[in-house]
Amino acid sequence: MRRAPFLRCFVLLLLTLFWALSALAERERVRLPETVPMPEMRPAEAPRPLRLLEIPQSEIEAAAKLCRSVLDRNKLVAEPAQAALWNNGCGAVGQVRISAIKLASGRTVALRPSALIRCETAEILADWVREDLAPATEPYGGLARIDVAASYHCRPRNNIRGALLSEHGRANAIDIRAIVLKDGRRFGVDLPETPILLLGELRRSSCARFTTVLGPGSDGFHEDHFHLD
């Protein structure tokens, strides 16, 4: 009777040893080779040479007529820009270079540097500044200037190679780095002294007018400016 526990332990030891040897044999059987050959690399496709596309004269004239009607509304200090379309999708027909926006009071709000955008986008920007942005800054001293981070720029979204074409590449977008008040103070999405209520109003009013509004929390690429398109 005293040998029973010893026999049970001996049997368990044998079973454990058998299981361990079986597992080791199985692992050796399916072991991968130490080096895995890399797949054959194909040479990169040569980029297409950039070239200007031919624009129908009727399209140029229609865009110019629209731009004249926008400029005649006396909301912008701007000059018409030459139409240009490229074979990679960049460019626009009917665009202006804006140096300032005229407020209803007759005072102007400068854009620094000037912004190159399509006329339709320019008018929406002017209405937003005149009717929303300027009134929202009055309690803080009034708006004097808009610091522009980017406007027309032929590039992919977020400057990521291989991404879709950015709306900047179609002259449909403008990035605002900061707004400058009459007393010289600068407010922006990355400036801690900017009133939260003002930022909230700018986001609300811009979302009501533009198709896309990006800023802090959007995607990590717009933590220091507002993108409007």
Side-chain angles (χ1 to χ4, degrees), residues 1-225:
M1 295 297 293
R2 292 179 179 177
R3 294 180 179 179
F6 172 78
L7 289 175
R8 283 198 297 269
C9 290
F10 182 76
V11 171
L12 288 173
L13 179 62
L14 287 177
L15 290 174
T16 302
L17 182 61
F18 176 78
W19 175 84
L21 291 173
S22 299
L24 180 62
E26 180 67 16
R27 190 170 67 177
E28 288 294 327
R29 186 175 64 84
V30 300
R31 179 186 293 176
L32 292 174
E34 293 183 2
T35 58
V36 179
M38 294 292 292
E40 181 181 354
M41 303 297 291
R42 298 180 180 180
E45 181 182 357
R48 294 184 302 167
L50 275 179
R51 60 180 178 84
L52 280 169
L53 301 178
E54 184 175 350
I55 306 171
Q57 186 61 32
S58 59
E59 186 176 347
I60 294 176
E61 292 175 356
K65 182 179 179 180
L66 186 149
C67 285
R68 282 195 302 271
S69 67
V70 170
L71 295 176
D72 287 346
R73 295 186 184 103
N74 203 31
K75 302 175 184 178
L76 301 165
V77 179
E79 295 293 334
Q82 184 177 0
L85 291 176
W86 299 85
N87 63 331
N88 66 346
C90 283
V93 181
Q95 49 191 346
V96 290
R97 184 171 293 279
I98 310 169
S99 57
I101 293 172
K102 298 179 181 179
L103 302 182
S105 64
R107 192 168 56 83
T108 60
V109 174
L111 271 66
R112 186 181 298 173
S114 59
L116 179 61
I117 52 178
R118 293 174 64 245
C119 292
E120 298 94 327
T121 308
E123 184 167 31
I124 295 172
L125 175 68
D127 289 341
W128 178 63
V129 172
R130 288 160 57 93
E131 301 170 15
D132 298 320
L133 180 57
T137 62
E138 282 302 320
Y140 307 97
L143 182 63
R145 190 179 79 235
I146 296 173
D147 286 349
V148 177
S151 54
Y152 172 72
H153 185 194
C154 183
R155 62 171 176 80
R157 292 178 185 175
N158 301 318
N159 284 300
I160 297 176
R161 187 176 181 180
L164 296 175
L165 181 66
S166 168
E167 288 302 308
H168 286 285
R170 299 185 177 95
N172 281 332
I174 184 169
D175 288 351
I176 296 178
R177 175 76 69 189
I179 57 175
V180 183
L181 304 185
K182 294 178 184 178
D183 61 7
R185 285 182 297 165
R186 296 178 77 249
F187 289 160
V189 294
D190 63 334
L191 301 175
E193 60 270 26
T194 305
I196 296 298
L197 290 178
L198 178 60
L199 283 179
E201 175 58 24
L202 299 189
R203 184 182 294 274
R204 183 204 63 79
S205 61
S206 59
C207 286
R209 294 185 182 271
F210 294 90
T211 302
T212 304
V213 176
L214 302 173
S218 298
D219 54 11
F221 293 96
H222 299 85
E223 297 300 308
D224 61 354
H225 65 276

